[in-house]
Each structure stands twice: as structure tokens, then as C-alpha cells.
């Protein structure tokens, strides 16, 4: 609310430029622009938090449903005098084990969600001066996705990373190196415009794969990202984000995505805490 009050006051001040000095006007104008930028950043953070909350709510409802089902089974056993006390004790033990697992699962997921949100916010701050059309960062289903436009990274139909892209990739690499327990997946994507060349890249499969590996090599050789953490490849034209019927849609489809996610062994550890039957 305070932000909007500041915006309102700034807007009124800008409308009264005839009553103030140019120095005061410039100061108010700068303050107004800064407030606009702050509002945009807060709105992005709010949207990220809403997505996290929605995912946690769905998971919590599922866990509650499982708990209710187990409780109903216990009630049924207690009402049936023909059941032996040994079976009831076994069921109680299973319920207690399930409750313990549920608590561990919620704790683990909450920790991962917090790490992912912190990682996402750090990336957004690092890339704040880069145009939104060139770099997009978001959290989706527990992973952090960075989408880079092809015009920032490569020449048309080429896979060699442009020198101008080094700054952005350097900022991304710094955050990747800070979160060294995460894996990095790099995917090249293209539109559906065909390539017909006797040399590499011969087609969109080649182009997308070569672009993915080119970015991986830059992260490794220029910025010290451990190659053991990186998986690189291409998805050609078969994973479009938008229609290929428009210029803007094709541009959006010609992207390279860097996906940062927990390593596979972290998921396996989580699976190991499942109650034994």
C-alpha cells in the first residue's frame, strides 16, 4: 500500500512541473521510475509465491486424504471384534509410520520449495538489467527454468554463442556455481522453419542439439561450471511454446532453456524414507 501511495504522490508531483524546479522535477521523476520498477519486482515475487502455495495446498489435500483413509481403516478394525489385537497393533504401527513419513515429506518439500524460490529470486536480481524478451526466469513444478532468446545467443541458423551473450551466461553461471547441489539441463529449441544444408547444422535437430551443447561448453570452459552437473541436448521443433504461424511465436520457440533442479540422488533419498511394508 505504501508503494502505491508513493506512486500517487510522485504522479501528482510530475503533474505540477510548472511549480517546481527542474532539479526537483528530475528527482521526483527518478523516484517515480524506481517505484514502478519496485512494483514490478514485487508483483513477480507475489506470483511466484502464489504458485508455490497452490502446489503445497494440492499436496497437503492429497496427504490429508491418505491420512483419512488410513484412519477409516483403523476405525473399521476397532469396530470388528473378530479381528485380533495383533492386527490392530500392526495397523496402528503402519499409521504411525505413515504419519512420520508425511511429516518428513512435507519438511523436505518445504525445504526444496524455499531453495528454489531463493534461487529464482537471486537469478532475477542478477539479470534485472536484461530485457524480458531475451531472458525469462520462472519456477515450474519444483525446478527453476531460464529461457534465453536465440537472437541474444546466436546468429540466424548458427550455433556459435555470440560474445555479447557472455555477460548474461556469466551471471547465470555464478548462480549455478553457488547452488552446487543442483543439476543443470540445457535444451536447444527451434521453430519449424526447415534447414536444408549439406553442412552442419543440416536440420533443426542438429541446430537445437548444437546450440544446447554450445551453451554447455561456454558455462564449463568460460565460467567453471562442473561438466558432471550438466546435461545438454536439443528438442528441435517438437516442444513449441507458441504458434509457429506468427513472427513473435517463432521467435519464442527458437529459445535455449537452462533448467536447474535437485540432483537425482536427492530424489532417491526422499524415496528411501517411505515406510516399509
Amino acid at each position: 500500500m505504501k508503494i502505491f501511495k508513493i506512486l500517487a504522490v510522485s504522479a501528482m508531483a510530475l503533474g505540477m512541473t510548472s511549480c517546481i524546479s527542474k532539479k526537483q522535477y528530475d528527482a521526483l521523476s527518478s523516484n517515480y521510475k524506481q517505484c514502478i520498477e519496485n512494483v514490478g519486482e514485487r508483483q513477480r515475487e507475489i506470483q511466484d509465491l502464489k504458485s508455490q502455495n497452490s502446489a503445497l495446498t494440492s499436496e497437503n489435500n492429497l496427504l490429508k486424504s491418505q491420512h483419512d483413509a488410513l484412519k477409516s481403516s483403523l476405525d473399521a478394525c476397532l469396530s470388528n471384534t473378530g479381528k485380533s489385537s495383533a492386527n490392530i497393533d500392526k495397523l496402528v504401527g503402519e499409521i504411525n509410520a505413515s504419519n512420520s513419513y508425511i511429516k518428513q515429506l512435507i519438511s523436505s518439500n518445504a525445504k526444496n520449495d524455499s531453495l528454489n524460490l531463493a534461487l529464482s529470486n537471486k537469478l532475477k536480481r542478477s539479470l534485472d538489467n536484461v530485457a524480458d524478451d531475451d531472458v525469462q526466469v520462472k519456477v515450474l513444478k519444483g525446478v527453476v527454468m531460464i529461457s534465453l532468446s536465440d537472437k541474444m545467443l546466436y546468429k540466424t541458423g548458427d550455433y556459435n554463442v555470440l560474445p555479447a551473450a557472455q555477460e548474461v551466461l556469466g551471471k547465470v553461471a555464478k548462480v549455478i556455481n553457488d547452488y552446487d547441489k543442483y543439476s543443470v539441463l540445457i535444451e536447444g529449441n527451434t521453430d519449424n522453419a526447415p534447414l536444408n544444408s549439406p553442412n552442419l547444422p543440416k536440420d533443426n535437430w542438429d541446430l537445437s542439439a548444437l546450440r544446447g551443447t554450445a551453451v554447455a561448453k561456454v558455462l564449463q570452459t568460460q565460467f567453471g561450471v562442473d561438466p558432471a552437473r550438466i546435461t545438454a541436448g536439443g528438442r528441435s521443433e517438437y516442444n513449441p511454446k507458441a504458434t509457429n504461424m506468427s513472427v513473435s511465436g517463432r521467435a519464442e520457440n527458437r529459445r535455449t532453456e537452462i533448467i536447474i533442479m535437485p540432483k537425482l540422488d536427492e530424489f532417491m533419498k526422499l524415496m528411501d524414507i517411505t515406510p516399509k511394508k
Side-chain angles (χ1 to χ4, degrees):
M1 192 67 184
K2 289 181 178 179
I3 293 176
F4 289 105
K5 287 182 178 179
I6 292 172
L7 293 176
V9 171
S10 298
M12 291 174 61
L14 291 173
M16 299 171 62
T17 55
S18 61
C19 302
I20 61 176
S21 67
K22 185 178 186 303
K23 183 178 180 180
Q24 291 173 316
Y25 171 80
D26 290 341
L28 289 171
S29 178
S30 176
N31 183 48
Y32 174 76
K33 291 179 180 178
Q34 184 61 47
C35 288
I36 289 294
E37 293 175 0
N38 290 341
V39 168
E41 184 174 350
R42 297 293 85 76
Q43 288 177 337
R44 289 195 295 269
E45 291 179 356
I46 289 171
Q47 189 59 43
D48 286 339
L49 289 171
K50 285 183 177 179
S51 298
Q52 295 293 328
N53 183 62
S54 177
L56 288 173
T57 299
S58 298
E59 184 173 310
N60 187 52
N61 290 337
L62 175 61
L63 293 174
K64 285 182 178 179
S65 177
Q66 292 173 342
H67 180 271
D68 291 342
L70 287 170
K71 188 175 182 302
S72 297
S73 297
L74 176 60
D75 291 341
C77 286
L78 291 173
S79 64
N80 188 348
T81 57
K83 297 287 185 179
S84 67
S85 59
N87 289 336
I88 294 177
D89 289 342
K90 180 180 178 181
L91 185 56
V92 170
E94 289 179 353
I95 291 176
N96 289 335
S98 295
N99 285 338
S100 176
Y101 168 65
I102 288 170
K103 290 178 181 178
Q104 293 180 63
L105 182 61
I106 291 174
S107 176
S108 297
N109 285 342
K111 180 180 178 181
N112 285 337
D113 289 338
S114 297
L115 286 172
N116 288 338
L117 187 58
L119 192 161
S120 175
N121 288 335
K122 187 171 184 179
L123 278 166
K124 288 177 180 177
R125 287 193 296 271
S126 298
L127 303 170
D128 190 52
N129 63 334
V130 183
D132 288 342
D133 290 342
D134 290 334
V135 179
Q136 297 178 14
V137 180
K138 64 180 179 179
V139 176
L140 181 63
K141 295 183 179 179
V143 300
V144 176
M145 304 182 68
I146 310 164
S147 184
L148 306 174
S149 70
D150 73 314
K151 65 183 178 65
M152 181 188 71
L153 292 174
Y154 328 95
K155 293 180 180 178
T156 302
D158 193 16
Y159 59 88
N160 294 298
V161 178
L162 294 170
Q166 298 285 331
E167 180 181 0
V168 171
L169 291 178
K171 292 179 178 180
V172 173
K174 184 179 185 307
V175 177
I176 290 174
N177 286 330
D178 288 343
Y179 288 79
D180 58 358
K181 301 300 182 184
Y182 280 57
S183 293
V184 181
L185 173 63
I186 304 173
E187 290 184 351
N189 293 270
T190 69
D191 59 23
N192 65 349
L195 290 179
N196 294 300
S197 171
N199 304 313
L200 287 176
K202 294 182 179 181
D203 54 30
N204 283 329
W205 273 117
D206 283 346
L207 180 60
S208 63
L210 289 168
R211 285 182 168 182
T213 54
V215 170
K217 290 175 183 177
V218 169
L219 293 178
Q220 174 191 354
T221 60
Q222 300 297 320
F223 303 109
V225 177
D226 183 0
R229 299 171 56 195
I230 301 175
T231 302
R235 303 189 70 175
S236 187
E237 65 197 69
Y238 302 109
N239 186 35
K241 291 180 66 175
T243 177
N244 282 302
M245 300 299 291
S246 67
V247 173
S248 61
R250 290 194 298 274
E252 189 172 356
N253 290 335
R254 295 190 302 269
R255 69 199 182 280
T256 297
E257 291 185 336
I258 301 176
I259 303 169
I260 308 172
M261 56 189 173
K263 292 183 178 180
L264 181 60
D265 58 354
E266 295 298 322
F267 288 113
M268 297 303 295
K269 288 179 183 178
L270 187 61
M271 292 174 65
D272 287 341
I273 66 174
T274 306
K276 294 181 180 180
K277 295 183 178 180

